Amino acid sequence: MRKTLAAVLAASLCGTSFAQSDYPSKPIKMIVGFAAGGISDVLGRAVAAKMTTTIGQPVVVENKPGAGTTIAGDAVAKAAPDGYTIWLQDITSHAINASLYTKLPYDSVKDFTAVTLVASTPLMLVVHPSTQAKSVKELAALLKASPGKYTYGSSGNGTILHLASELFNSREGLQVLHIPYKGSGPATQAILAGDVTYVFSTMPPAVSNAKAGKLRALAVTTPRRVSAAPDVPTMIEAGVPNFEIILYSGVLGPKGMDAAVVRKLNAEFAKVVATDEIKGVFQQLGADAISSSPESFHDMLEREIANLAPVVKASGAKAE
């Protein structure tokens, strides 16, 4: 009897070990919570294409925009924890949502498995070239002169683009109408068409359109200027004290993922973002390629939630 039990346990362990070492044995779905064209989508597709060549299986991007990334979050939280559904998400918006939404269909920490950080990038404040304002202070003066007349666009309620604008409005004492879109791509189209007055945009569309003369760049949200746009001042330089927002992108999976699968994914992402190819792509987008351990990413997510909670409250931003 003991020998039989031992044999069963050994076979079970061998089967588990084989399953772990065999990962991945089918395509991996990488969910992005924004529409095509935004920073998360562009970064995600670059990383997915490169990882497809290194991990041995296709890594396929699936866009699930809307509701401040909570639609994507809910899909991932409910997915099987087998490593075949992962989320390249905006950690800053994810952390904001924990305080912004009165009720979420998941716990922002407990219902996910942290894998790694992959990128950090600033936002860029842009206006349509027809706008009279040629600086941040001139924009603030224009908006302040006509409360409620002007609008700003964002990638959706609860996203970092939304909060950045709310912080700007709060700091400068402005009353501006919020127009949320399903991703930074549609928000960019709105500012290009002159449908909104300003947008705190992600870097890829902001930089390319500013260089083409289709948008006017007023400032970036990092404490230092960025190499992708060295002539554009920081918000602090532009006269808004202590205004610093950095957009972090990271990979989460559903809770309960096997530790060996998490380690495999973590190592693969670290390898990919360390390549000159991906670093070059990220740099063109104004982003820095980074990586982290699952543990440090998990700790950072908890810190971001705690740090951003009072910022969300002070901004007055809310979402249902």
Side-chain angles (χ1 to χ4, degrees):
M1 183 68 176
R2 290 181 178 176
K3 289 183 179 180
T4 301
L5 180 58
V8 171
L9 288 173
S12 176
L13 289 172
C14 287
T16 301
S17 176
F18 176 78
Q20 292 172 355
S21 64
D22 195 43
Y23 175 85
S25 59
K26 62 181 182 179
I28 298 170
K29 180 168 62 178
M30 179 189 290
I31 291 179
V32 173
F34 297 99
I39 184 69
S40 292
D41 179 69
V42 176
L43 293 178
R45 292 184 185 278
V47 170
K50 184 65 176 177
M51 185 174 286
T52 294
T53 68
T54 65
I55 202 168
Q57 288 289 340
V59 181
V60 183
V61 172
E62 180 178 323
N63 297 91
K64 284 187 174 293
T69 74
T70 62
I71 293 174
D74 190 37
V76 174
K78 292 176 179 176
D82 54 11
Y84 292 101
T85 300
I86 56 177
W87 183 17
L88 180 66
Q89 49 78 259
D90 174 344
I91 180 180
T92 316
S93 286
H94 187 66
I96 291 168
N97 287 346
S99 299
L100 188 79
Y101 283 80
T102 55
K103 185 177 181 181
L104 287 171
Y106 51 79
D107 184 285
S108 298
V109 176
K110 294 179 181 179
D111 287 336
F112 299 95
T113 299
V115 177
T116 183
L117 287 167
V118 294
S120 67
T121 183
L123 300 177
M124 179 177 280
L125 174 58
V126 294
V127 296
H128 191 272
S130 63
T131 304
Q132 298 175 3
K134 293 180 171 59
S135 69
V136 174
K137 283 302 182 182
E138 288 183 5
L139 175 62
L142 177 70
L143 300 173
K144 190 173 293 185
S146 301
K149 174 182 177 180
Y150 296 100
T151 59
Y152 72 87
S154 82
S155 49
N157 283 317
T159 64
I160 192 62
L161 275 64
H162 177 201
L163 188 58
S165 296
E166 287 294 328
L167 282 174
F168 175 53
N169 295 340
S170 177
R171 294 281 178 86
E172 297 295 319
L174 309 173
Q175 296 179 32
V176 189
L177 179 65
H178 177 211
I179 308 295
Y181 294 90
K182 289 186 176 181
S184 57
T188 298
Q189 292 305 312
I191 190 70
L192 285 169
D195 293 337
V196 292
T197 310
Y198 77 86
V199 169
F200 274 90
S201 173
T202 52
M203 290 294 282
V207 171
S208 61
N209 284 299
K211 288 181 177 179
K214 297 178 180 179
L215 291 176
R216 180 181 299 137
L218 300 185
V220 292
T221 61
T222 40
R224 293 178 297 277
R225 297 192 184 196
V226 298
S227 58
D231 296 332
V232 179
T234 67
M235 288 291 287
I236 296 172
E237 289 176 326
V240 186
N242 302 316
F243 195 108
E244 177 184 337
I245 292 178
I246 301 175
L247 179 66
Y248 291 102
S249 297
V251 179
L252 293 176
K255 69 177 179 180
M257 287 177 61
D258 187 276
V261 172
V262 175
R263 288 194 299 270
K264 171 71 172 178
L265 282 171
N266 180 273
E268 289 295 330
F269 275 106
K271 181 166 60 178
V272 165
V273 300
T275 63
D276 291 338
E277 178 183 345
I278 293 299
K279 284 182 177 180
V281 171
F282 280 28
Q283 187 174 22
Q284 291 178 359
L285 300 174
D288 290 327
I290 59 177
S291 60
S292 67
S293 69
E295 295 78 16
S296 63
F297 180 28
H298 176 273
D299 292 345
M300 179 182 179
L301 181 56
E302 288 190 324
R303 288 197 306 273
E304 286 287 286
I305 289 173
N307 291 338
L308 287 169
V311 179
V312 173
K313 183 178 180 180
S315 74
K318 295 181 180 179
E320 298 297 332

